Amino acid sequence: MVAVPRSSDDANTERRFVLHDVPWWMYVALRDALDDQSGVKMTYLEGVLELMSPSLLHEEAKSIIARLLETWAVEHDIDLRAFGSTTFRREAVQRGLEPDECYVIGPLVEGGVPDIAIEVIVSNTLVDKMAVYAGLGVREVWTWRPETRAIDVHGLVDDHYESCPMSRVLPTLDLAELSRHVLTGQNQTQLIKAYQQALRGRSS
C-alpha cells in the first residue's frame, strides 16, 4: 500500500491520503475502528481507499445546506428523513463511503441507500466518488462548490450520472433560491429565518 498525502496548515484546506491495494476486510476494519466521531471520512473503490479530514469551510457549508433543506421540508410537510454521514458500503460492488449529508423520502429500507446525497467540494477527491455513488445506486448526488456557490444536481441514469436542471426526487424545490442562502461565515440562524420567510412569501 502506498499513501499519497495532501495536507496544509490552512484551516480551509482538506487533508487527504490515498492507499492502494487495500482489501475489503481492511477497509471495513479501519472504518469500524475510526467511527464517525473521529472526523475521518473514507471513500473505498475497488481496492483504493481515500482518507479525508474535512475543513471548517466544508463542514460549515454542508451544515447550512442541510438546515436549509430541512427547513424547506418542514414548510412543505415533506417526509424527508436525514441520515447525516452514515457509512454506506457494499462488498459485492467493492464500494463504500460517507456522504456529507444524505436523505431518504419516507422510510429507509434495510440495506437501502439514500435518495439524495450531498457533497461539498472544497478540494478535489483522489477517488472517483461518483463511481462509488453510482455503484451503490444513489438516485441523486448534489454538489456544492465555494467558487460557484450553486448546488448542481447529478441524476443516476443506468450506471452513471448526468447533470439535471432540477431535482427529480424533489421536483418542487427551487435549488437556486436555496443556494442563495448558503453563505458561509454568517449568522446561520438568520440565514434560516430569511429562507423561511422567502418560502412563506412565495406560498402566500
Side-chain angles (χ1 to χ4, degrees):
M1 293 184 292
V2 178
V4 179
R6 296 280 183 88
S7 63
S8 168
D9 293 331
D10 185 345
N12 286 335
T13 299
E14 323 269 45
R15 290 158 176 81
R16 297 179 182 273
F17 294 85
V18 66
L19 304 173
H20 296 274
D21 301 319
V22 178
W24 179 261
W25 67 264
M26 184 176 292
Y27 158 59
V28 172
L30 286 170
R31 180 66 281 173
D32 291 348
L34 298 172
D35 62 20
D36 292 340
Q37 300 304 313
S38 69
V40 175
K41 298 174 70 67
M42 295 186 184
T43 303
Y44 183 85
L45 176 62
E46 299 175 338
V48 180
L49 176 63
E50 179 187 271
L51 296 89
M52 188 268 274
S53 178
S55 64
L56 292 176
L57 173 60
H58 180 283
E59 295 300 274
E60 183 182 12
K62 68 107 176 178
S63 296
I64 293 172
I65 294 168
R67 293 180 67 181
L68 291 169
L69 180 56
E70 289 159 19
T71 297
W72 177 88
V74 169
E75 291 295 315
H76 289 82
D77 197 25
I78 302 294
D79 185 9
L80 184 69
R81 306 192 185 190
F83 290 89
S85 294
T86 300
T87 298
F88 294 93
R89 62 194 183 202
R90 287 184 179 170
E91 183 176 6
V93 293
Q94 292 285 293
R95 285 161 166 78
L97 50 59
E98 299 85 43
D100 290 333
E101 299 285 348
C102 66
Y103 296 89
V104 175
I105 309 301
L108 176 65
V109 300
E110 184 175 355
V113 295
D115 293 316
I116 298 168
I118 296 173
E119 287 290 332
V120 169
I121 304 174
V122 173
S123 62
N124 292 327
T125 63
L126 304 177
V127 174
D128 186 353
K129 295 191 81 169
M130 286 300 190
V132 179
Y133 278 121
L136 294 174
V138 175
R139 291 174 63 190
E140 287 185 356
V141 179
W142 298 2
T143 58
W144 182 93
R145 299 173 184 270
E147 313 92 75
T148 63
R149 298 192 175 274
I151 295 173
D152 296 312
V153 178
H154 309 270
L156 186 62
V157 178
D158 297 326
D159 60 351
H160 66 282
Y161 288 98
E162 295 182 357
S163 296
C164 302
M166 58 186 289
S167 170
R168 295 169 185 167
V169 177
L170 299 174
T172 61
L173 171 62
D174 185 340
L175 278 167
E177 182 174 49
L178 188 150
S179 297
R180 285 194 288 272
H181 292 81
V182 184
L183 301 172
T184 56
Q186 297 195 21
N187 185 318
Q188 294 185 16
T189 298
Q190 293 303 315
L191 290 174
I192 303 306
K193 289 175 68 175
Y195 181 55
Q196 189 176 52
Q197 290 172 3
L199 293 174
R200 292 177 178 177
R202 172 176 293 188
S203 61
S204 61

